[in-house]
């Protein structure tokens, strides 16, 4: 039986990723005949309804203009392409080469003007909002960027709200995001490297880094990993996250995300590499250390003493949210003598009337809380407020009145939930760990919680995102970088020397520059 | 062997050494108790430095090579013997650690519970820590040190109002013999000294400075805790099986009536670090014998042996007492720290004479 299972597993592992076959003829080169090109194009796209073409004559030479309906700004098209072409001044006996020369050097049909030679490239440009020109007698095409598709306007990021600072967040088009970054760093050292990812989707992704700060080996590693990502489609930055992480099954993230251009700029100035993905406002940042989950842009705009206080609050909130339910269950079940007398009597009185053991009470109530939280996320906004009413009634009142759970447990859930909202980036880890610690505390007591906590912290200490210890600079310890970890010193000190990730203790990243 | 910094390494050793202080098992030690313990710790510092001097001088000549690699360079047989010896020593310390833990927790904390679940779970978590690698345990040790120092400060502060120096008596009241004996036993318990020899070439930093800081740190910790214990419970501490646990039970801070849960959490973490470190050494030594490719299999085997032996020794306590008393004689430690390095140096000396002949 074991040999049969082993054989099955080996067979499954041999099924490697098979990229989708290209459409027949997609990679062929364009021909000189305009009619043949048009027939081929219509054939390749199955005469798709959104492909619009128009034949015109410029200087006596027939041309075709192709656009994808809705992708191109018609006003821009009229102003910078149609009008110059109609008023080209070319004679009626012009040759295709003269017309091509006109588009290349004697006109400015668009700042983003490229030439291409294959049908695959033609479709890539069409689907990216370019207007494409094909000239009779020339086996190439000219693509001019005049994107005019609709997109969400720049607004405050929904996942990273701040009190003071910019209200701009990334949007779906990658190039708009690039401009937001460029406006914040007016330095030639800021570099954008555009790549394509996704065999079918050919999604544009962009590496963003500071060439005078980033480590060459780190950049090469990121590039290599992204190139090795074999995916059919890339619709969100989360598709690429596992390829940038060392241990994708780990509880804690080794790659960060941000919706804020100011946060991204701050990170790349410390030698990190950011990845923008077209179609999503969430950018990736690597390497991402554990202490960054407790940092926010507000920390750097508030006064140092308050920012330090908030940092301590966040660290306390993290341990509170993962350990409080489990510790409460463990102590109340196995070591009630550790509670102060008054509290012990209250807990005993409330638990006297509840039918379930404390561990099951905790599991049930946290499960209901997670259900409501998830429902609140997915519900349409008009009826979303119903979730809060149901939550307050069900958990806050009915469950306690009916004697299903004790009032202390409601308090524990409330404190736990509020604490988890303080560190939204760690919510996935926190949710799983919370349930794990409830189970461990309910079965093994404080001893089990200690074992679980030790295993969790060792797992965290073992991670090395891009060769940098996840727990640096707390462990391995270095005093200088600690200025911005548990405390946040004044900008007069922070601004004296820029700290880079490759300088952190235990870092395997060399300091070679691009 | 992975490279770790000197500070990380000696923090791990500091925690390992403090573990045995937390879990003094009754009837096993003939060391100095009470005020005599305060003086014997001074001798511990002196003896530790004197014992390690020959090995430091010998290995100073062998830069970049650990003791086992050095043995292999002399002869394959010497390397085999050295690796086996250190594997057995490390495994025995790991087993002893687990037994210590099991006996303490089932006698002082959870007296109605069986050893089995504690031994099995404790060993499994230690194996997981070894699997993650020494670097993660070293980094975790830094965090554990902060927790240890924080918890000790909490316990001491909460006991401040109970302090009374009437419990302190002259350390030489029973003569010099208990003090000297106590110093010697404290050194004999310090199996961490052999780890220094194995790790020297793989540490980044000044090893001698780190070693001195370690010795002084252990001295300060043990001296401070004995002092606090004597000042709070006085000579009554001598009659207690687990004096530090008794002190933690007495401690009260703000609304918390007892601090023994804090004590247990810290002591469990430190015990796990110690077990993981010694199991790592045992695994590493056995990898020399059987190949590095089998390291996971070796680890599983070590885990199984540890669990089995720990359960047996916890059950047959007399056998454990005999083994532990043998450890306290210092023979295993002096063989590892003194005899082996000296023998390894002598071997090439004899060979050169043979070659000339």
């Amino acid at each position: 039986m074991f040999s049969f299972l082993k054989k099955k597993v080996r067979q499954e592992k041999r099924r490697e990723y098979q990229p989708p076959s290209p459409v027949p003829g997609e990679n062929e080169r364009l021909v000189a005949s305009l009619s043949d090109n048009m027939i081929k194009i219509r054939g390749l796209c199955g005469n798709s309804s959104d492909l619009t073409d128009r034949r015109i004559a410029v200087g006596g030479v027939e041309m075709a203009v192709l656009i994808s309906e809705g992708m191109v700004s018609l006003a821009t098209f009229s102003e910078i392409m149609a009008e110059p072409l109609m008023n080209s001044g070319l004679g009626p006996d012009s040759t295709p080469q003269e017309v091509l020369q006109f588009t290349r050097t004697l006109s400015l049909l668009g700042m983003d003007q490229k030439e291409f030679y294959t049908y695959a490239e033609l479709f890539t440009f069409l689907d990216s909002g370019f207007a494409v020109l094909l000239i009779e007698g020339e086996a190439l095409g000219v693509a001019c960027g005049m994107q005019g598709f609709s997109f969400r306007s720049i607004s405050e990021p929904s996942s990273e709200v701040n009190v003071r600072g910019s209200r701009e967040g990334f949007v779906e088009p990658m190039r708009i995001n690039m401009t937001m970054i460029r406006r914040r760093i007016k330095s030639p050292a800021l570099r954008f490297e555009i790549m394509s990812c996704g065999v079918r989707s050919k999604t544009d992704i962009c590496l963003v880094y500071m060439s005078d700060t980033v480590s060459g080996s780190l950049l090469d590693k990121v590039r290599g990993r992204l190139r090795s990502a074999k995916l059919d489609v890339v619709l969100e930055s989360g598709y690429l996250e596992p390829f940038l992480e060392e241990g994708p099954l780990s509880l804690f993230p080794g790659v960060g995300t941000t919706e804020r251009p100011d946060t991204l700029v701050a990170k790349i100035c410390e030698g990190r590499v950011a990845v923008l993905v077209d179609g999503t406002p969430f950018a990736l940042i690597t390497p991402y250390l554990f202490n960054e989950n407790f940092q926010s842009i507000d920390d750097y705009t508030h006064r140092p003493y308050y920012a330090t206080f908030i940092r301590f609050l966040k660290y306390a909130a993290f341990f509170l949210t993962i350990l409080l339910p489990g510790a409460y269950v463990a102590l109340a079940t196995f070591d009630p003598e550790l509670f102060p007398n008054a509290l012990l009597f209250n807990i005993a009185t409330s638990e006297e009337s509840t039918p379930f053991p404390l561990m099951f009470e905790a599991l049930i109530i946290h499960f209901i809380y997670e259900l409501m939280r998830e429902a609140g996320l997915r519900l349409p906004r008009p009826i979303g407020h119903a979730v809060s009413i149901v939550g307050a009634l069900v958990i806050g009142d009915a469950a306690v009145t009916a004697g299903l759970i004790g009032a202390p447990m409601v308090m524990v859930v409330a404190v736990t939930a509020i604490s988890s909202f303080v560190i939204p980036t760690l919510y996935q880890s926190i949710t799983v760990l919370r349930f794990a610690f409830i189970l461990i505390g309910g079965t093994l007591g404080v001893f089990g919680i200690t074992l679980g906590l030790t295993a969790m912290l060792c797992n965290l200490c073992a991670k090395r995102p891009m060769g940098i210890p996840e727990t640096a600079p707390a462990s391995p310890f270095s005093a200088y970088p600690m200025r911005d970890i548990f405390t946040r010193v004044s900008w007069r000190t922070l601004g004296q020397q820029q700290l880079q990730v490759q300088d952190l203790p235990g870092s395997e990243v060399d300091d070679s520059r691009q | 062997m992975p490279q770790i910094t000197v500070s990380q390494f000696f923090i791990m050793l500091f925690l390992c050494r403090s573990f045995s202080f937390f879990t003094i098992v009754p009837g096993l030690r003939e060391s100095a108790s009470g005020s005599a313990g305060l003086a014997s710790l001074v001798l511990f510092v002196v003896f530790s430095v004197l014992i390690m001097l020959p090995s430091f001088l010998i290995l100073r000549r062998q830069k970049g090579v650990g003791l086992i690699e050095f043995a292999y360079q002399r002869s394959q047989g010497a390397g085999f013997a050295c690796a086996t010896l250190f594997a057995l020593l490390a495994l025995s310390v790991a087993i002893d650690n687990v037994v210590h833990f099991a006996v303490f927790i089932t006698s002082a904390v959870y007296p109605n519970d069986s050893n089995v679940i504690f031994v099995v779970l404790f060993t499994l978590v230690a194996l997981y820590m070894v699997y993650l690698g020494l670097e993660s345990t070293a980094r975790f040790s830094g965090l554990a040190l902060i927790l240890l120092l924080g918890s000790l400060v909490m316990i001491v502060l909460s006991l401040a109002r109970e302090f009374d120096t009437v419990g302190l008596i002259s350390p030489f009241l029973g003569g010099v013999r208990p003090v000297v004996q106590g110093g010697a036993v404290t050194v004999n318990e310090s199996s961490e000294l052999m780890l220094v020899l194995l790790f020297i070439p793989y540490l980044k930093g000044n090893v001698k400075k780190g070693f001195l800081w370690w010795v002084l740190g252990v001295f300060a910790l043990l001296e401070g805790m004995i002092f606090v214990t004597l000042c709070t419970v006085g000579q009554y501490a001598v009659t207690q099986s687990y004096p530090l646990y008794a002190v933690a039970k007495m401690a009260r801070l703000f609304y918390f009536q007892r601090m023994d849960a804090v004590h247990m959490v810290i002591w469990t973490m430190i015990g796990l670090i110690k077990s993981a470190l010694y199991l790592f050494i045992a695994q590493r030594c056995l990898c020399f014998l059987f190949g590095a490719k089998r390291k996971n299999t070796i680890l599983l085997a070590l885990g199984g042996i540890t669990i089995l032996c720990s359960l047996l020794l916890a059950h047959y306590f007399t056998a454990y007492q005999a083994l532990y008393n043998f450890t306290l004689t210092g023979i295993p430690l002096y063989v590892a720290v003194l005899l082996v390095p000296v023998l390894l140096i002598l071997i090439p000396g004899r060979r050169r004479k043979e070659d000339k002949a």
Side-chain angles (χ1 to χ4, degrees):
Chain A
M1 185 184 159
F2 287 116
S3 56
F4 169 73
L5 285 170
K6 269 191 204 169
K7 198 174 155 189
K8 269 295 195 191
V9 166
R10 267 190 232 122
Q11 277 173 357
E12 288 295 324
K13 278 189 181 171
R14 267 193 223 118
R15 287 191 203 167
E16 290 180 359
Y17 171 72
Q18 301 290 337
S21 314
V23 175
E26 188 183 351
N27 291 324
E28 287 175 13
R29 294 179 72 92
L30 293 163
V31 296
S33 165
L34 184 61
S35 305
D36 290 344
N37 278 332
M38 291 309 300
I39 292 168
K40 187 75 176 180
I41 289 166
R42 284 285 173 191
L44 281 172
C45 71
N47 207 20
S48 181
S49 309
D50 62 336
L51 178 63
T52 306
D53 68 289
R54 182 93 161 94
R55 304 263 187 132
I56 54 173
V58 174
V61 177
E62 201 176 4
M63 288 175 80
V65 181
L66 295 95
I67 60 170
S68 230
E69 194 177 336
M71 296 280 265
V72 166
S73 165
L74 293 176
T76 311
F77 171 75
S78 300
E79 197 177 320
I80 68 172
M81 181 176 271
E83 212 179 302
L85 283 176
M86 293 296 103
N87 301 321
S88 62
L90 290 170
D93 298 320
S94 300
T95 62
Q97 290 74 26
E98 283 171 347
V99 172
L100 182 62
Q101 191 63 18
F102 170 77
T103 63
R104 276 177 179 165
T105 56
L106 299 177
S107 64
L108 194 66
L109 299 181
M111 285 301 293
D112 197 4
Q113 187 170 320
K114 294 181 173 65
E115 290 179 4
F116 58 89
Y117 300 89
T118 66
Y119 295 106
E121 288 171 297
L122 181 146
F123 281 105
T124 303
F125 282 121
L126 273 179
D127 296 336
S128 302
F130 283 66
V132 163
L133 288 175
L134 297 175
I135 304 170
E136 172 69 52
E138 290 290 344
L140 60 83
V142 178
C144 306
M146 44 193 76
Q147 286 82 358
F149 45 77
S150 303
F151 56 87
R152 187 171 56 92
S153 58
I154 295 173
S155 57
E156 187 167 10
S158 54
S159 62
E160 291 172 73
V161 180
N162 64 319
V163 172
R164 183 174 163 179
S166 164
R167 295 277 192 261
E168 284 183 341
F170 287 135
V171 289
E172 280 71 12
M174 189 180 74
R175 280 163 175 80
I176 308 286
N177 299 336
M178 287 161 65
T179 61
M180 281 199 265
I181 298 168
R182 180 63 75 182
R183 279 195 296 117
R184 283 169 170 82
I185 302 185
K186 299 176 178 63
S187 163
L190 172 64
R191 304 286 165 84
F192 295 108
E193 255 182 53
I194 296 182
M195 300 159 64
S196 177
C197 203
V199 175
R200 211 189 287 270
S201 64
K202 296 189 181 67
T203 308
D204 284 338
I205 61 174
C206 179
L207 295 186
V208 188
Y209 56 90
M210 298 294 293
S211 62
D212 57 351
T213 311
V214 77
S215 157
S217 60
L218 172 64
L219 192 57
D220 289 338
K221 209 187 245 187
V222 173
R223 265 195 216 112
R225 293 217 182 151
L226 288 173
R227 283 196 187 120
S228 68
K230 294 175 187 171
L231 289 169
D232 226 8
V233 289
V234 175
L235 301 175
E236 220 284 333
S237 55
Y239 287 49
L240 298 176
E241 247 184 84
F243 296 95
L244 293 174
E245 284 193 337
E246 302 288 329
L249 297 177
S250 171
L251 278 170
F252 297 98
V255 175
T257 57
T258 184
E259 253 188 300
R260 303 183 61 92
D262 45 4
T263 303
L264 187 143
V265 162
K267 298 288 182 197
I268 62 174
C269 285
E270 288 179 344
R272 291 180 174 81
V273 177
V275 180
L276 300 174
V277 178
D278 193 38
T280 174
F282 288 93
L284 300 176
I285 296 171
T286 185
Y288 189 71
L289 307 181
F290 184 68
N291 63 74
E292 293 178 62
N293 292 296
F294 304 90
Q295 295 171 342
S296 67
I297 200 76
D298 268 336
D299 292 349
Y300 301 95
T301 53
H302 287 136
R303 299 184 77 82
Y305 68 86
Y306 183 69
T308 303
F309 169 73
I310 293 297
R311 288 267 170 93
F312 276 108
L313 193 72
K314 286 181 182 173
Y315 281 103
F318 171 70
F319 286 104
L320 205 63
T321 191
I322 59 168
L323 291 177
L324 180 63
Y328 172 70
V329 167
L331 290 175
T333 308
F334 294 98
D335 298 291
E337 68 276 9
L338 292 174
F339 284 122
N341 290 336
L343 180 60
L344 181 60
F345 295 148
N346 283 339
I347 293 171
T349 310
S350 68
E351 295 310 317
E352 191 69 24
S353 52
T354 55
F356 302 115
L358 211 54
M359 185 179 83
F360 283 108
E361 234 181 82
L363 287 172
I364 290 167
I365 201 69
H366 281 91
F367 181 68
I368 292 172
Y369 162 71
E370 289 298 326
L371 277 178
M372 289 200 313
R373 188 197 59 81
E374 195 64 24
L377 273 178
R378 310 292 163 210
L379 271 178
R381 280 180 205 272
I383 53 173
H385 65 275
V387 173
S388 55
I389 297 169
V390 167
L393 284 174
V394 168
I395 295 181
D397 187 44
V400 176
T401 312
L404 290 175
I405 60 168
M409 184 58 76
V410 177
M411 273 307 300
V412 167
V413 173
V415 171
T416 305
I418 293 169
S419 303
S420 66
F421 296 142
V422 175
I423 329 129
T425 50
L426 284 176
Y427 195 81
Q428 298 171 32
S429 321
I430 281 169
T431 307
V432 171
L433 285 170
R434 191 189 300 149
F435 278 96
F437 277 113
I438 291 174
L439 284 168
I440 291 171
T443 49
L444 299 170
V446 174
F447 166 67
I449 295 229
T450 311
L451 291 184
L453 188 63
T454 306
M456 181 195 89
L457 289 173
C458 282
N459 180 274
L460 183 63
C461 291
K463 278 178 66 83
R464 302 183 66 90
M466 296 292 167
I468 298 171
E470 174 102 3
T471 49
S475 187
F477 180 78
S478 174
Y480 183 71
M482 290 297 287
R483 63 194 185 151
D484 192 21
I485 304 300
F486 297 110
T487 58
R488 203 276 287 170
V489 299
S490 161
W491 268 112
R492 287 182 190 232
T493 312
L494 275 180
Q496 277 173 6
Q497 186 181 351
Q498 185 70 33
L499 182 70
Q500 289 155 18
V501 285
Q502 53 265 39
D503 297 333
L504 287 172
S507 167
E508 289 173 350
V509 177
D510 62 48
D511 209 14
S512 59
R513 295 281 187 265
Q514 273 297 94
Chain B
M1 193 79 86
Q3 280 226 320
I4 54 176
T5 62
V6 162
S7 53
Q8 283 178 320
F9 175 68
F10 282 106
I11 285 172
M12 276 199 293
L13 294 201
F14 175 80
L15 293 173
C16 291
R17 191 62 188 86
S18 65
F19 177 77
S20 53
F21 181 73
F22 277 69
T23 56
I24 298 168
V25 182
L28 290 187
R29 296 174 86 238
E30 295 277 340
S31 67
S33 51
S35 296
L38 290 170
S40 66
L41 284 170
V42 177
L43 291 178
F44 158 73
V45 173
V46 174
F47 289 164
S48 299
V49 172
L50 287 175
I51 286 167
M52 291 301 288
L53 263 178
S55 307
F56 274 139
L57 291 169
I58 289 167
L59 286 178
R60 193 176 56 171
R61 291 159 52 185
Q62 317 300 332
K63 286 198 180 181
V65 175
L67 193 63
I68 297 175
E69 291 91 335
F70 181 48
Y72 266 104
Q73 282 176 2
R74 293 293 173 266
S75 78
Q76 190 136 5
F80 179 86
C82 212
T84 310
L85 173 69
F86 279 100
L88 286 172
L89 284 174
L91 182 60
S92 67
V93 173
I95 293 170
D96 168 71
N97 198 55
V98 176
V99 176
H100 255 103
F101 173 86
V103 167
F104 179 78
I105 204 165
T106 51
S107 58
V109 185
Y110 299 116
N112 297 326
D113 291 332
S114 157
N115 275 326
V116 176
I117 194 80
F118 295 107
V119 166
V120 170
L121 290 176
F122 188 88
T123 310
L124 285 176
V125 175
L127 288 177
Y128 178 64
M129 289 167 71
V130 178
Y131 173 75
L132 288 175
L134 186 68
E135 281 151 338
S136 73
T137 306
R139 281 180 220 137
F140 174 65
S141 301
L143 304 173
L145 177 69
I146 296 168
L147 290 174
L148 169 68
L149 295 176
S151 68
L152 289 177
V153 166
M154 270 172 65
I155 291 174
V156 169
L157 282 176
S158 60
L159 290 170
R161 56 171 173 246
E162 314 279 346
F163 272 28
D164 189 352
T165 54
V166 74
L168 294 173
I169 55 175
S170 168
F172 297 100
L173 194 68
V176 175
R177 190 167 177 273
V179 174
V180 173
Q181 195 175 3
V185 166
T186 310
V187 171
N188 295 345
E189 278 183 323
S190 305
S191 53
E192 292 78 23
L193 294 173
M194 76 171 175
L195 294 187
V196 177
L197 295 185
L198 293 176
F199 273 90
I200 281 181
Y202 307 103
L203 301 178
K204 290 186 275 191
N206 189 331
V207 176
K208 291 193 196 78
K209 197 172 157 186
F211 176 74
L212 283 173
W213 274 111
W214 174 71
V215 170
L216 292 172
V218 169
F219 167 76
L221 173 75
L222 299 186
E223 193 85 5
M225 293 322 297
I226 292 176
F227 179 78
V228 165
T229 307
L230 289 174
C231 287
T232 48
V233 294
Q235 290 300 315
Y236 177 65
V238 176
T239 65
Q240 284 293 297
S241 303
Y242 310 103
L244 197 60
Y245 185 67
V247 165
K249 274 205 278 197
M250 284 173 54
R252 290 182 188 205
L253 192 67
F254 305 121
Y255 211 49
F256 297 104
Q257 292 177 298
R258 297 161 57 149
M259 306 286 278
D260 52 334
V262 172
H263 173 277
M264 195 180 72
V265 166
I266 303 302
W267 151 77
T268 306
M269 282 187 178
I270 293 173
L272 284 167
I273 290 171
K274 186 170 180 178
S275 294
L277 180 60
Y278 281 94
L279 282 173
F280 175 83
I281 296 295
Q283 180 200 44
R284 182 81 191 168
C285 292
L286 291 176
C287 283
F288 271 108
L289 302 175
F290 299 110
K293 281 185 187 171
R294 294 196 178 91
K295 68 175 187 176
N296 288 336
T297 313
I298 291 171
L299 185 62
L300 284 173
L302 285 172
I305 295 169
T306 305
I307 291 172
L308 194 62
C309 292
S310 302
L311 288 171
L312 283 171
L313 287 172
H315 188 69
Y316 296 106
F317 201 69
T318 324
Y320 175 64
Q321 274 183 302
L323 283 169
Y324 189 72
N325 287 335
F326 174 69
T327 310
L328 285 186
T329 60
I331 293 171
L333 179 70
Y334 298 135
V335 164
V337 169
L338 284 176
L339 188 63
V340 166
V342 168
L343 281 177
L344 288 175
I345 285 293
L346 285 177
I347 290 173
R350 282 175 58 194
R351 269 192 179 171
R352 281 195 212 111
K353 281 183 190 170
E354 283 164 14
D355 288 342
K356 281 178 190 171

